[in-house]
Amino acid sequence: MGQIALGKLVLDPLAVLGGLLPMPQLAPQLLSGALLFACAPMNSVYPLFGQRFGLGDITAATLMVGTLAAFLTIGLVLWLIHHAGVFVTP
């Protein structure tokens, strides 16, 4: 459960960041928005897919943990964008 939420909330934003940093021609607002979308928790339909395969309980719990932990990751990314100067226009 924690591994799935960690992968979605940490590894997914890092993958998006790694994929977008080599594209300096993109607007900083677009980069910030893409990174914030990557930090969002998984869709609420996730437990429905899990239920179809007999994993409804674990996927529902993972969605709950992911949603609660997303408050931290989104807050951290917003802080980094604002205070650390990430994606600032020159």
Side-chain angles (χ1 to χ4, degrees):
M1 179 169 52
Q3 295 171 339
I4 297 169
L6 180 73
K8 171 62 182 107
L9 297 175
V10 175
L11 297 179
D12 192 29
L14 287 176
V16 169
L17 183 64
L20 293 178
L21 280 180
M23 301 181 212
Q25 71 275 15
L26 293 177
Q29 295 86 357
L30 179 65
L31 294 172
S32 297
L35 190 59
L36 285 171
F37 271 117
C39 291
M42 64 272 299
N43 293 332
S44 59
V45 74
Y46 180 68
L48 296 176
F49 289 138
Q51 185 178 19
R52 182 176 180 130
F53 296 102
L55 300 170
D57 294 339
I58 189 83
T59 53
T62 302
L63 178 65
M64 179 74 146
V65 168
T67 301
L68 293 174
F71 285 104
L72 297 173
T73 58
I74 291 174
L76 177 66
V77 168
L78 284 172
W79 184 86
L80 285 172
I81 289 170
H82 181 69
H83 293 298
V86 179
F87 307 136
V88 175
T89 54

